[in-house]
Amino acid sequence: IMNTTFSLNNITTFGSTVYGIYAVSGSNITIVNNTIRQLGASSRGILFDNANTYSSANVSNNRIIEEGASSRGIETKTKGLLATWNFINISGGSAEGINDPTSGGFNFITRNTIVGTNTSLTGIYFGSVQNSNYSHNNISLNGTSNVGIYIQNSHHNAVTENNVTIYGPGNVDAAAAGIRTGTGTLQYNTISNNIINTYGNLWAYGIVAQTQYSNVTENFITTTGNISHAIEIISSSTNASNNVITATGPLSAAFYITASDNLIQNNTVLQAHDGFLIDNAGADRLNLTLNNLTNIAGYDLNITTAGVNNTILTSQDIGKYWFTGSGGRVDIVYPGIGEIRFLE
């Protein structure tokens, strides 16, 4: 189908694995001002099935209610899609508001409102996507192990200026998070200027960053639960800078780091149990520069494992610190003043 508009439809479906609007092998398609309610599991409110093809589609101002488990409000197997000003309510377990899966890219997902109450919900998911923009979306999820925005196997994307609120905890195997990255090739992504609040009582993180050569910058993050770190960095070559962090829960760190070769600079930590919690012997060559730490209940710098090497503190004030074991080296550098190197 080409040059087609679907508008002002009122659609209700009852069975499982059904579609409200299904567009395949088309271009210049407009889907606007529709109301779609689906009661069955594994359903799709709006599905574009045009993999790896530029569709130039517009999905705007739709109201979609997904009540079945594993359902998706909008699924976009295409390129060149604009999805904006949609309202999506997901209430079935493991449901997703917007799913931008394999062979996609060059999509603009913006100014959508996604709400939901249940377990293992995802507001926006994208995988194997490149050169797309996810911005100005409002996401509010209530339940256990929910994730606002989930990034998988994608590169050169921007996740910016979203407002994400997570109510409810995670667990040790599936933490809740405002923004989370998964496995695969995750490189050159930007996560910036987002407002993230998590209110779970346990394992409800702000940002989980497993994305190499990427920027996590200028985000405002508040976590309130126990072991609810503001930013967890589990991949190398990440720049985390100019973030404003409040982590009020017990044992919650501003930065929880398990990977090497990362730069953390110019961040403002207003409250946390630990400022920098380094929890893996492979987290070498960490550069901490000009971060401002206040109201730290535990340690400014807490290295929990022996053998962490070449931690560099550049113009970085550290008050309370803890080094576990021996064998690592820490360099303290103040340009124009001097440099000190010592073993843990």
Side-chain angles (χ1 to χ4, degrees), residues 83-90 97-98 109-116 122-124 134-141 147-149 159-167 178 193-197:
T84 185
W85 295 110
N86 299 285
F87 175 83
I88 303 171
N89 188 329
I90 50 177
I98 297 175
I109 312 296
T110 183
R111 300 189 186 281
N112 300 283
T113 296
I114 301 170
V115 300
T122 303
I124 297 173
Y134 306 83
S135 64
H136 297 97
N137 299 287
N138 289 297
I139 300 170
S140 179
L141 303 177
V147 176
I149 300 174
V159 179
T160 63
E161 298 185 88
N162 299 283
N163 193 328
V164 181
T165 303
I166 303 296
Y167 299 96
N193 295 102
N194 301 283
I195 298 173
I196 300 170
N197 295 282

Side-chain angles (χ1 to χ4, degrees), residues 272-290:
H273 181 80
D274 289 327
F276 308 104
L277 177 57
I278 304 173
D279 199 26
N280 181 30
D284 298 328
R285 297 176 297 280
L286 174 66
N287 190 327
L288 307 176
T289 301
L290 285 170

Side-chain angles (χ1 to χ4, degrees), residues 16-201:
S16 299
T17 319
V18 295
Y19 311 113
I21 297 175
Y22 182 18
V24 60
S25 301
S27 61
N28 295 318
I29 300 168
T30 300
I31 300 176
V32 297
N33 298 316
N34 299 283
T35 297
I36 301 171
R37 182 186 179 196
Q38 299 192 288
L39 306 180
S42 303
S43 295
R44 308 290 185 262
I46 297 172
L47 172 61
F48 275 89
D49 195 356
N50 203 12
N52 208 27
T53 301
Y54 194 87
S55 295
S56 187
N58 179 3
V59 181
S60 302
N61 292 293
N62 299 285
R63 180 179 177 85
I64 303 172
I65 300 172
E66 295 290 342
E67 300 182 27
S70 302
S71 292
R72 296 169 180 172
I74 299 172
E75 183 171 329
T76 67
K77 296 180 181 179
T78 189
K79 293 181 177 179
L81 179 135
L82 169 66
T84 185
W85 295 110
N86 299 285
F87 175 83
I88 303 171
N89 188 329
I90 50 177
S91 58
S94 301
E96 299 171 351
I98 297 175
N99 179 286
D100 195 2
T102 58
S103 302
F106 303 95
N107 293 325
F108 194 43
I109 312 296
T110 183
R111 300 189 186 281
N112 300 283
T113 296
I114 301 170
V115 300
T117 300
N118 211 308
T119 300
S120 301
L121 303 175
T122 303
I124 297 173
Y125 169 92
F126 59 95
S128 298
V129 171
Q130 60 182 327
N131 298 303
S132 291
N133 182 286
Y134 306 83
S135 64
H136 297 97
N137 299 287
N138 289 297
I139 300 170
S140 179
L141 303 177
N142 193 335
T144 302
S145 298
N146 294 328
V147 176
I149 300 174
Y150 197 109
I151 309 166
Q152 184 100 344
N153 199 35
S154 297
H155 61 90
H156 293 91
N157 298 288
V159 179
T160 63
E161 298 185 88
N162 299 283
N163 193 328
V164 181
T165 303
I166 303 296
Y167 299 96
N171 59 56
V172 67
D173 296 316
I179 298 174
R180 183 179 184 86
T181 59
T183 58
T185 303
L186 286 144
Q187 296 180 339
Y188 305 105
N189 295 297
T190 297
I191 302 172
S192 68
N193 295 102
N194 301 283
I195 298 173
I196 300 170
N197 295 282
T198 69
Y199 297 108
N201 61 357

Side-chain angles (χ1 to χ4, degrees), residues 14 29 95 129 136 143 198 239 244 269 289 316-317 320-322 336:
F14 296 93
I29 300 168
V129 171
H136 297 97
T198 69
N239 169 35
V244 178
V269 178
T289 301
Q316 177 64 60
D317 292 341
K320 296 174 289 184
Y321 60 88
W322 179 263

